[in-house]
Amino acid sequence: METPRLQRLPSSAREKILKTLKLAQDMGAETATLPGSDVAETVVEYARNHNLSKVMLGRDKTRAFAPWRSGYADRIAQRAPELDITQIVRDEGAGARSSANGEPARLERIAWTGYLVSAGVCVLTTFAASALQPLFELANIVMMFLLAVVLIAVRLGRGPAVLAAFLNVAAFDFFFVPPRFSFTVNDFQYLLTFAVMLAVALITGQLAAGLKYQARVAMNRELRARALYEMSRELSAALLLDQIAEIAARFVEGSFRAKVALLLADEHDRLNFPVARSQVPVDAGIAQWAFDHAEAAGAGTGTLPGSPVLYVPLKAPMRTRGVLAVQPSGTRWLLIPEQRRQLDTFATLIAIAIERVHYVDIAQLTTVQIESERLRNSLLSALSHDLRTPLTALVGLAEYLTLVKPELSGEQREVATAIRDEARRMTALVNNLLDMGRLQSGEVKLNRQWQPLEEVVGAALAQAKPLLGGHEVQVQLDPALPFLEFDAVLLERVLFNILENAHKYTPPGSVIRLSAQLRETFIDVVIEDSGPGLPEGMEEEIFKKFTRGRKESATPGVGLGLAVCRAIVEAHRGSIRAEKSALGGARFVFSLPLGNPPALDENTVPGSLRDNR
Amino acid sequence: MTTHKPALLLIKDERQIRRFVRSVLESEGWQVFEAESLRRARVEIGTRNPALLILDLGLPDGDGVRFIRELRDWSAMPVLVLSARAREQDKISALDAGADDYLVKPFGTGELLARVRAILRRLDKARAQEESKLEFGAVCVDLSLRRVLREGELLRLTPLEYRLLTFLIAHAGKVLTHQQLLTGVWGQARAENYPSLRVFMTRLRQKLEREPSRPQYLLTEIGVGYRFVTDPVDDAVPQA
């Protein structure tokens, strides 16, 4: 509670309150500092606004001198019968101890000058009053003294006002009430005048000081609110990170008289440190800690409070965006929860602004990507149609040439066959190119289904059959291999491409062996041959686009087949590699993850006709 | 084969491809009519009453699949579909709509002729008396006695396996989509049942095929379904 009384407390007591609040915050409590002059009323209002049902208070001290004044608990209970109130024991001993070593604060020195001024004003008032005394009644002179007290209360606060009240009563008695220049009072009536004068002076002084304090609190609040308002307005207009950093620095420096550095995180969750311009001695370790834990660290916090800099994480809705490093002129204000909350709010505003800028960037990037994707897709489908259609005609017409009557001569027939073969090769190349394009553009959606490896191997071998006529193909597949989840069409391409490679790079009569083994959570599919093998050191290179084992070799191809294989296998979260085979030639191994095949319970086989086995 | 020239309607918008298909089929003794659009095709079907339709799925003036469905409402005329590679869904839709077979572009004369012959042979067989006995490889299926022999020995098949086998035999030579198989054998087709179909197919292969990973009769049409062939040599599909 921020009541007028708070201001009257010695600074050590205030600090104690702040420390208690801090402790509560550290233990997970949410604290609030409320302005108001009536504790009970403000507490009740806050509790109602926030749907709180329990209030816990320090036990009221028994008031020996004012038994008619009820304690906070009673007053709250009166106002809000629906609240549960718990009273707890006050720890008086600790309070007394800590206040014993309270330091003489600067504030008190300022107060002494106030008392001096107050006394001076009283003297002046007395002079003025004595000048006017012949012209006015004593009753009007009293008014002047009261006016002086009110003015002092307004200007200097409560203490000097109290002093002035007493001084003025004394001066009035001494200088004006007959017999003059003596504290003796002849007329008994003046005693009442003194009492009323003193009471009025004290009460008006009190009220004026309280009002002034409330006004100051309100002004501070308004300043904070205005700072927040202006900062959020400026941040909402910011489009660049630099702008945000500048706005953040300006506002935090303005509101807290602190130096500021804004540390932003990159996509790998590492903070970037501003190199030269920062005036804040940033400690990278603490900053990173604050970022990683999304918790404030450094001065005024529970973590490394010895550091002169406070690190506030910039928490945005999606993730932490960075850290605000604040070096305050003094660490005391960091303990004030209101100030910390203000700073945290600043941090949140900055974080949201950074996130917004981030997403603006992403949105722009995405738009560009979508555009280029669309362009690429339309290009691909146009290519796909426009290249294949003439190729189909070319292949067909070349083949037809070999069928026409009268039959072609041997040489003509050879040419026709060559045209057909080249057209077919061109088709294969176009297919690989288009596959690669589609796989890389992410256009291909895997049609993953649970199925046996055997089927796709069978289909690939059937497709490669015309190629592998001269080779000895061995297949070793354990019938007990589990089902795998894959896109059969794409996996067939992988197998076919590898088999086609084996056909291209091994002499007729070579052995090609296809097998599969379980290995932990993968199935390794191995295709090896007894050919000449891969050139040394090319085991990884050959999977790159447009790379071939032997440059400029007589074997046709552009080196896309294996790149397509890799793209497909990796789309299945698998891996592919090439190595030397025990058969002497090349050995290609691709691994596919096992996953969790669906339970194929014989009893739940669909349909009315159950399989009874 | 029939002695008179059978008529065939080729629906395709590419002139060069039409020309080569026409030349090849004419050299095989077909009478080929052409249509470059579905609208024209409807007219041609009405006037020519062809024995076979070759239909490209990617025609500019309409959906080939819907055309097949329409046709199936009133005619059992065999349809061979030409489809682009990597468009499995198109093939499946066309087959489910009632197409008899498909050819992937680019295709050679050998493939084209093999498919056309296979379709016609199946039709001839269907018209001929139902055979009660069927032999392929070392396997002999006796449909009247409901038993299957392999190398003279009785094979134990479960009722469901037998039912799947007879369904395949009944549609020998034709590509059957997963959905057609599930509906035909199990009575219902849902995507989550595909794995059980595959389990039964694998078992059938292990019982009937000499080398299940290199099947000769129970072929997998990758991404589409299965095809049962009784004469692997003749139906062999030479491909790129």
Side-chain angles (χ1 to χ4, degrees):
Chain A
M1 279 290 288
E2 212 168 354
T3 62
R5 251 183 70 196
L6 185 68
Q7 209 204 7
R8 279 181 267 136
L9 291 172
S11 63
S12 62
R14 284 176 59 137
E15 222 137 86
K16 206 184 104 200
I17 293 175
L18 295 180
K19 280 205 174 112
T20 312
L21 284 173
K22 185 84 186 79
L23 178 69
Q25 274 180 336
D26 288 349
M27 291 168 83
E30 190 184 319
T31 64
T33 314
L34 310 172
S37 51
D38 185 341
V39 175
E41 197 181 306
T42 318
V43 165
V44 167
E45 197 177 316
Y46 183 79
R48 283 194 176 137
N49 284 343
H50 291 75
N51 289 326
L52 306 176
S53 62
K54 285 197 173 67
V55 175
M56 207 177 280
L57 297 166
R59 184 178 293 154
D60 287 319
K61 286 179 230 175
T62 33
R63 289 163 189 275
F65 301 106
W68 62 88
R69 287 191 66 180
S70 45
Y72 290 140
D74 293 342
R75 281 192 280 153
I76 292 172
Q78 244 170 34
R79 282 194 165 79
E82 78 277 9
L83 286 177
D84 289 344
I85 298 172
T86 313
Q87 294 203 354
I88 51 172
V89 178
R90 281 171 189 266
D91 189 2
E92 293 295 343
R97 239 180 295 125
S98 69
S99 61
N101 51 20
E103 88 261 47
R106 209 159 48 95
L107 257 170
E108 281 162 39
R109 220 176 314 127
I110 295 169
W112 281 120
T113 60
Y115 287 109
L116 282 178
V117 172
S118 165
V121 170
C122 289
V123 173
L124 283 177
T125 316
T126 312
F127 276 119
S130 29
L132 295 171
Q133 201 224 357
L135 303 173
F136 294 98
E137 293 263 327
L138 272 187
N140 291 327
I141 302 289
V142 170
M143 292 300 158
M144 283 187 66
F145 281 109
L146 283 179
L147 177 65
V149 174
V150 172
L151 287 176
I152 288 167
V154 170
R155 294 299 302 175
L156 301 168
R158 173 198 253 265
V162 171
L163 176 74
F166 281 102
L167 282 179
N168 281 352
V169 170
F172 180 61
D173 181 5
F174 192 79
F175 293 106
F176 299 97
V177 176
R180 295 181 64 189
F181 307 111
S182 138
F183 285 111
T184 334
V185 178
N186 284 349
D187 196 338
F188 174 71
Q189 293 227 350
Y190 281 111
L191 285 183
L192 184 64
T193 310
F194 294 155
V196 170
M197 188 179 164
L198 189 61
V200 169
L202 286 176
I203 292 167
T204 50
Q206 175 89 341
L207 283 177
L211 275 179
K212 193 187 152 216
Y213 177 72
Q214 295 269 1
R216 217 175 71 193
V217 168
M219 202 177 75
N220 277 343
R221 276 174 185 277
E222 212 242 302
L223 276 179
R224 281 187 215 137
R226 177 176 292 276
L228 277 180
Y229 163 71
E230 283 180 357
M231 178 154 149
S232 62
R233 201 184 52 187
E234 290 203 24
L235 281 177
S236 67
L239 285 172
L240 299 171
L241 287 176
D242 284 346
Q243 281 176 302
I244 293 175
E246 186 271 323
I247 293 167
R250 184 148 46 80
F251 277 92
V252 177
E253 276 163 21
S255 300
F256 299 101
R257 286 186 296 283
K259 288 184 203 143
V260 178
L262 191 64
L263 312 173
L264 296 177
D266 59 18
E267 57 270 36
H268 309 298
D269 284 347
R270 301 297 309 170
L271 287 177
N272 291 320
F273 296 96
V275 193
R277 338 178 256 141
S278 169
Q279 310 141 323
V280 183
V282 173
D283 182 315
I286 309 178
Q288 188 68 46
W289 187 94
F291 176 77
D292 291 343
H293 294 76
E295 226 176 87
T301 66
T303 314
L304 298 165
S307 158
V309 182
L310 169 66
Y311 301 89
V312 185
L314 299 172
K315 278 185 274 189
M318 294 308 288
R319 50 169 280 210
T320 308
R321 295 273 158 201
V323 168
L324 188 68
V326 184
Q327 186 187 25
S329 36
T331 52
R332 221 173 73 92
W333 65 263
L334 290 177
L335 293 171
I336 303 172
E338 275 297 88
Q339 297 274 54
R340 268 308 303 278
R341 189 153 314 124
Q342 175 88 348
L343 186 61
D344 288 346
T345 312
F346 274 12
T348 308
L349 283 176
I350 295 167
I352 290 170
I354 294 172
E355 189 152 280
R356 184 175 53 74
V357 168
H358 173 72
Y359 281 118
V360 166
D361 286 350
I362 286 189
Q364 278 173 347
L365 207 67
T366 314
T367 317
V368 172
Q369 268 172 354
I370 289 173
E371 271 311 304
S372 68
E373 203 87 323
R374 193 174 302 152
L375 193 68
R376 180 155 51 180
N377 285 347
S378 59
L379 199 68
L380 277 176
S381 61
L383 266 181
S384 153
H385 181 258
D386 293 355
L387 283 176
R388 277 187 190 140
T389 305
L391 282 170
T392 306
L394 201 56
V395 169
L397 290 169
E399 272 190 10
Y400 173 66
L401 274 183
T402 62
L403 298 175
V404 289
K405 307 259 163 38
E407 272 187 35
L408 301 176
S409 71
E411 196 184 350
Q412 286 167 329
R413 177 178 280 275
E414 256 173 49
V415 170
T417 313
I419 291 175
R420 186 201 61 188
D421 289 350
E422 291 303 316
R424 278 200 185 274
R425 195 139 60 219
M426 182 88 173
T427 310
L429 168 65
V430 167
N431 285 345
N432 270 337
L433 263 176
L434 293 174
D435 280 351
M436 199 68 220
R438 293 192 323 159
L439 281 166
Q440 288 211 323
S441 68
E443 193 213 319
V444 174
K445 271 216 194 91
L446 292 190
N447 173 23
R448 294 162 72 111
Q449 292 187 12
W450 289 99
Q451 48 199 312
L453 197 60
E454 191 184 87
E455 277 190 1
V456 70
V457 166
L461 285 172
Q463 207 199 340
K465 205 170 170 182
L467 302 175
L468 300 176
H471 293 70
E472 187 193 337
V473 182
Q474 304 170 351
V475 184
Q476 296 168 352
L477 282 183
D478 183 354
L481 282 177
F483 275 29
L484 291 174
E485 195 182 26
F486 57 81
D487 183 323
V489 177
L490 291 179
L491 207 68
E492 192 202 20
R493 299 245 352 116
V494 174
L495 288 165
F496 179 79
N497 278 356
I498 298 178
L499 289 170
E500 190 191 26
N501 260 5
H503 153 74
K504 274 200 287 196
Y505 294 102
T506 59
S510 309
V511 176
I512 297 173
R513 185 185 294 160
L514 200 155
S515 58
Q517 287 99 34
L518 267 177
R519 179 176 57 84
E520 290 160 25
T521 57
F522 286 91
I523 283 192
D524 284 348
V525 183
V526 182
I527 298 146
E528 51 194 335
D529 61 59
S530 64
L534 297 164
E536 265 328 289
M538 291 295 283
E539 286 85 359
E540 189 55 31
E541 286 290 299
I542 52 171
F543 289 106
K544 292 190 180 144
K545 266 178 282 178
F546 306 111
T547 307
R548 304 180 59 201
R550 289 174 192 80
K551 296 246 156 64
E552 312 292 329
S553 81
T555 322
V558 291
L560 261 179
L562 289 175
V564 170
C565 289
R566 167 161 280 183
I568 292 173
V569 170
E570 283 176 357
H572 283 86
R573 291 194 286 278
S575 61
I576 186 166
R577 63 178 192 275
E579 53 201 28
K580 213 167 164 48
S581 163
L583 294 175
R587 174 182 149 104
F588 290 90
V589 184
F590 66 89
S591 314
L592 295 175
L594 276 178
N596 298 308
L600 289 172
D601 186 356
E602 302 289 315
N603 297 322
T604 59
V605 160
S608 52
L609 215 152
R610 290 265 162 80
D611 203 60
N612 314 309
R613 216 166 55 150
Chain B
M1 283 270 168
T2 41
T3 45
H4 72 274
K5 274 191 171 182
L8 176 149
L9 180 61
L10 173 61
I11 311 163
K12 176 89 186 107
D13 55 337
E14 291 290 330
R15 205 170 61 84
Q16 291 307 329
I17 295 181
R18 275 209 311 269
R19 176 188 170 141
F20 122 71
V21 172
R22 178 196 192 112
S23 314
V24 170
L25 290 173
E26 274 176 353
S27 70
E28 278 284 303
W30 288 84
Q31 191 185 354
V32 180
F33 300 103
E34 296 177 20
E36 70 287 348
S37 66
L38 292 178
R39 206 161 46 86
R40 181 93 196 115
R42 289 190 183 96
V43 178
E44 291 284 332
I45 292 171
T47 51
R48 311 285 184 191
N49 191 22
L52 171 67
L53 228 58
I54 298 181
L55 169 68
D56 192 289
L57 282 182
L59 284 176
D61 74 328
D63 180 3
V65 173
R66 193 182 304 155
F67 179 81
I68 298 171
R69 218 170 276 136
E70 223 173 80
L71 181 76
R72 279 288 168 263
D73 283 346
W74 58 275
S75 166
M77 185 184 299
V79 177
L80 173 61
V81 164
L82 303 181
S83 126
R85 201 181 62 93
R87 298 289 293 266
E88 270 64 34
Q89 200 45 54
D90 290 356
K91 295 177 209 160
I92 295 172
S93 320
L95 289 167
D96 282 340
D100 291 76
D101 209 337
Y102 66 85
L103 258 181
V104 175
K105 289 184 281 187
F107 50 88
T109 47
E111 291 153 84
L112 173 65
L113 288 175
R115 289 297 156 89
V116 170
R117 282 184 200 136
I119 290 178
L120 290 183
R121 195 169 48 241
R122 199 165 61 244
L123 287 178
D124 286 349
K125 248 184 208 166
R127 272 189 225 107
Q129 197 68 289
E130 275 280 341
E131 286 175 69
S132 68
K133 246 186 186 168
L134 181 81
E135 286 190 46
F136 53 94
V139 179
C140 174
V141 182
D142 193 329
L143 294 167
S144 58
L145 292 174
R146 299 177 65 84
R147 63 177 196 180
V148 184
L149 298 170
R150 181 172 172 174
E151 285 164 355
E153 287 192 30
L154 193 63
L155 261 185
R156 286 186 55 88
L157 292 186
T158 66
L160 209 43
E161 283 167 4
Y162 183 76
R163 200 180 151 105
L164 178 59
L165 178 62
T166 50
F167 189 80
L168 286 164
I169 288 172
H171 300 87
K174 184 180 187 302
V175 186
L176 294 167
T177 63
H178 296 121
Q179 198 177 341
Q180 286 170 334
L181 279 165
L182 282 169
T183 328
V185 179
W186 277 266
Q188 67 188 98
R190 287 205 310 268
E192 64 262 38
N193 293 335
Y194 285 13
S196 25
L197 169 61
R198 294 196 168 101
V199 169
F200 278 92
M201 207 64 200
T202 308
R203 275 201 210 131
L204 213 51
R205 272 203 195 107
Q206 276 161 7
K207 290 182 180 178
L208 301 179
E209 292 279 357
R210 201 168 48 81
E211 219 182 326
S213 56
R214 299 168 80 177
Q216 288 181 286
Y217 309 104
L218 299 165
L219 306 181
T220 309
E221 294 286 325
I222 281 298
V224 178
Y226 297 97
R227 183 204 298 268
F228 173 74
V229 294
T230 46
D231 194 350
V233 184
D234 195 51
D235 271 351
V237 180
Q239 286 203 11

